[in-house]
Amino acid sequence: MSTLLGPDEIEQLAPSGYYVALRIGFAFPMEEVNAFRPEWINHYTKQRFMLFDPVVKWAYGNVGTIRWSDIEDDDPRRVIVQAQTFGMRYGVTVSVFDSSADAQRSFASFTRADREYTDLELKLLHAYLTRRHNETAPPTNLTKAELKALGMVKDGKRLKQIAFELSVSEGAVKQRLKNAKLKLGAKTGTQAAALANQYGLI
């Protein structure tokens, strides 16, 4: 099995479902994949388990990898026991955190019904989440001029207006937006501005 896990390998490792939250800001992750079974998602939501889930509590308070069977926090709502009745008998949670200026956390849970996860699988899943966390990190090479132009795009200003307010040519604004799009991996100026805003850069 490759150390660079992709969606197919993740589905093989987590046949009972998985959840990935990348770069959680104040309230929401920048990117989220919820591949748990719909009936579990519905039950979990209706019971408001998020506030009591020892898996989530562990993910926010720790870094590393843990099997659900090793989590020692209280589980007054019996979230983990109830998860087992939905085919998630064995689970593992991974949490990564960076100490950069944005100090964001990513975490993921993976589940299966047939057996505990091996130590090797834990290492592979930790490497997977770390890679995805790093891939979604905000770029650090945007210039002040590019960020200023993106901020004006976010505010709904048109090219001519941006050029006028910045006292530069429209060509200069186009170049700044082109550079910003390239650095952010965006296709349009609007998308670049949205991404920069999501990253907290503007």
Side-chain angles (χ1 to χ4, degrees), residues 6 35 45 56 61 63 69 77 90 120 126 130 152 166 183 190 199:
T45 305
V56 174
V63 293
S69 58
R77 295 287 184 94
Y90 303 99
L120 174 60
H126 187 271
T130 301
M152 296 173 92
L166 294 178
K183 292 173 184 179
T190 303
Y199 282 130

Side-chain angles (χ1 to χ4, degrees), residues 8-63:
D8 291 342
E9 290 84 6
I10 293 298
E11 287 182 15
Q12 289 174 13
L13 283 171
S16 295
Y18 61 94
Y19 174 82
V20 179
L22 297 171
R23 300 226 160 242
I24 302 164
F26 176 71
F28 301 102
M30 190 182 133
E31 186 179 320
E32 182 179 40
V33 177
N34 192 342
F36 284 133
R37 293 175 178 168
E39 55 270 23
W40 170 247
I41 295 170
N42 186 46
H43 181 68
Y44 189 97
T45 305
K46 281 185 175 179
Q47 298 299 318
R48 299 187 179 102
F49 280 161
M50 178 88 170
L51 300 172
F52 308 96
D53 190 343
V55 171
V56 174
K57 182 179 177 186
W58 185 91
Y60 273 96
N62 298 275
V63 293

Side-chain angles (χ1 to χ4, degrees), residues 105-125:
R105 180 178 301 276
S106 295
F107 75 87
S109 287
F110 308 90
T111 64
R112 58 188 311 131
D114 55 346
R115 61 171 175 78
E116 282 280 18
Y117 283 86
T118 67
D119 290 344
L120 174 60
E121 288 168 338
L122 265 62
K123 288 177 183 176
L124 289 170
L125 291 169

